[in-house]
Amino acid sequence: MRPTMLAPRSLRKAAVPPVLLSDPTPGSLQPTRLAVHLNGAGSSCSAYLASGCRVYKIEISMDGAMLSKGKESLLIPDNSQVINSSVVDRCPHRSEIQSVALAEGEGDNCLILGTVDSYGHLIVSRLDIMADDIDRTSYSVPPRDCGVGEGSWAGICFSPTQRSMVAVARQLCKSIDIYDQDIHVRSLRALWYPSSFSFVQCSPQVNESNSLLAIAEGSQLSIWDLRMNNNGGCVQRISGSIGDIIYSVCSSPSGPIAIGGTDRAVTIYDPRRWSALSRWVGCSKYEITGLSFSSVDQSFIYVQGVDYEITCGRWKESERAFSFRGDSNWLGFSKCANTDVVAGWCESGSIFIADARQM
């Protein structure tokens, strides 16, 4: 029986209006300042991107793009129209925003937008995607140390099952704080500087209450159980090659956990035995800073390199399916929830959106 294939349907390119944002701030190495959402029947895609202390919303048309391919399955983009663009006025940060995340809210037209800045200040807002004016509840959580010290990369991650639960990582503080809305639940203390993290999505036998958190810290992948107090909550440590740094970690709903970084390889771990299932070497020419499993077929994974390229391929067979390139370095990388619409935001102001389906 021939295996199913994930095939691209289109690749679109849109430009952030220079009047809205002409010169984005550099941010950090991690491309965590972009989050995308596919609207309604898929006629448009909303991109939320952060630069400086502001978040911008760009609505891009998803109609009528043609698929063109170049050498080695490289997709050629088709220009797309920006339907609407605006400043999201519910994110009053005082320092540079480092991460943006989206989660599904209650009802069809509700989204939850979370942002965190370089000092760990968290702001969560509920957005009405059908209305231009955002008039829903919002809450703000200041950092535990009141923002003293030096700013650094900070990340945000919503729990996939409990939308009110959110985790915030701060790199230089070596800390991960867990909140239930604006109530602080607990803090995790990493040994090394955290650079990426994700709630582990796997079978109920392994992760009964979705309380596991995977954290990339230095060359190690650490697993934390939010219900445990022994050893600070850390239940497993997997060491990579000495000197390598893991820049990205992601989890698949079927269980496997993927990591990538300076070794330019994607390693997949089995959460039942914490052993490596597969290793895709050479899937990126440069350091890997973004990973996301396919929602359509979880035997595929999207790999974002620190250069211009995003690649999709089978992680078990180490086989490339297709790829596309930006026109400058990536500032953001994001995949829509529950569908294979993948976006990258370049420092030139271009946004590239790939749409893939199962053949």
Side-chain angles (χ1 to χ4, degrees):
M1 183 178 175
R2 186 183 176 187
T4 57
M5 280 296 294
L6 194 66
R9 291 206 318 172
S10 63
L11 176 64
R12 295 168 173 83
K13 176 184 177 183
V16 178
V19 177
L20 186 72
L21 176 62
S22 60
D23 191 14
T25 55
S28 299
L29 186 65
Q30 294 90 330
T32 52
R33 294 188 296 158
L34 172 69
V36 288
H37 173 75
L38 193 64
N39 300 324
S43 60
S44 67
C45 179
S46 294
Y48 295 85
L49 48 96
S51 176
C53 302
R54 287 183 161 186
V55 174
Y56 303 86
K57 179 185 177 182
I58 315 293
E59 190 176 350
I60 300 164
S61 172
M62 296 290 283
D63 292 331
M66 299 289 290
L67 180 66
S68 303
K69 285 188 177 182
K71 295 180 180 179
E72 299 178 353
S73 300
L74 186 70
L75 306 184
I76 299 171
D78 195 15
N79 288 328
S80 190
Q81 179 186 0
V82 173
I83 300 171
N84 191 21
S85 60
S86 59
V87 177
V88 179
D89 60 357
R90 296 296 292 272
C91 306
H93 287 276
R94 295 183 178 179
S95 62
E96 187 185 37
I97 297 171
Q98 295 294 313
S99 294
V100 178
L102 287 174
E104 300 288 339
E106 304 86 2
D108 295 334
N109 298 326
C110 182
L111 276 179
I112 302 172
L113 172 71
T115 55
V116 62
D117 63 28
S118 57
Y119 288 94
H121 185 193
L122 167 69
I123 297 177
V124 176
S125 304
R126 283 173 172 78
L127 312 179
D128 188 337
I129 58 177
M130 300 301 291
D132 292 332
D133 185 33
I134 300 165
D135 190 18
R136 296 220 178 188
T137 55
S138 178
Y139 62 86
S140 172
V141 184
R144 301 285 293 166
D145 58 3
C146 303
V148 298
E150 189 177 350
S152 62
W153 176 81
I156 178 173
C157 183
F158 287 103
S159 167
T161 56
Q162 191 178 341
R163 298 303 184 198
S164 63
M165 181 172 286
V166 61
V168 174
R170 297 178 64 194
Q171 193 164 37
L172 280 185
C173 295
K174 299 181 183 178
S175 68
I176 296 89
D177 292 300
I178 314 297
Y179 298 95
D180 188 350
Q181 291 194 349
D182 56 351
I183 301 171
H184 183 260
V185 177
R186 71 175 298 177
S187 295
L188 309 176
R189 300 297 174 187
L191 290 179
W192 305 96
Y193 300 114
S195 53
S196 181
F197 66 120
S198 172
F199 280 95
V200 177
Q201 308 174 63
C202 55
S203 63
Q205 293 83 4
V206 179
N207 191 11
E208 186 177 351
S209 60
N210 281 90
S211 61
L212 293 181
L213 195 67
I215 302 172
E217 39 176 309
S219 62
Q220 295 185 349
L221 171 66
S222 57
I223 309 297
W224 304 71
D225 192 332
L226 304 184
R227 301 166 300 176
M228 301 276 289
N229 288 320
N230 293 341
N231 202 22
C234 183
V235 294
Q236 186 73 35
R237 281 191 179 274
I238 303 168
S239 295
S241 302
I242 296 175
D244 285 339
I245 298 175
I246 303 169
Y247 285 128
S248 183
V249 57
C250 73
S251 173
S252 164
S254 62
I257 298 169
I259 62 169
T262 55
D263 61 356
R264 298 174 293 162
V266 175
T267 307
I268 313 290
Y269 289 98
D270 182 353
R272 292 169 296 183
R273 297 186 297 270
W274 300 118
S275 58
L277 285 172
S278 178
R279 184 170 165 83
W280 185 6
V281 179
C283 56
S284 176
K285 295 177 182 176
Y286 297 94
E287 292 90 340
I288 295 169
T289 50
L291 291 170
S292 183
F293 281 99
S294 166
S295 297
V296 176
D297 186 343
Q298 287 159 27
S299 65
F300 287 83
I301 192 167
Y302 294 93
V303 181
Q304 181 262 333
V306 79
D307 60 338
Y308 303 171
E309 196 161 12
I310 292 174
T311 300
C312 176
R314 290 178 177 275
W315 50 264
K316 193 174 289 185
E317 291 84 1
S318 300
E319 180 183 290
R320 180 184 299 235
F322 62 88
S323 63
F324 64 93
R325 288 180 186 153
D327 54 17
S328 56
N329 289 335
W330 298 116
L331 293 180
F333 166 74
S334 177
K335 189 183 80 64
C336 292
N338 305 320
T339 185
D340 276 29
V341 173
V342 179
W345 169 41
C346 296
E347 62 183 0
S348 64
S350 299
I351 300 175
F352 292 83
I353 302 175
D355 181 14
R357 292 289 187 271
Q358 201 168 37
M359 286 180 64

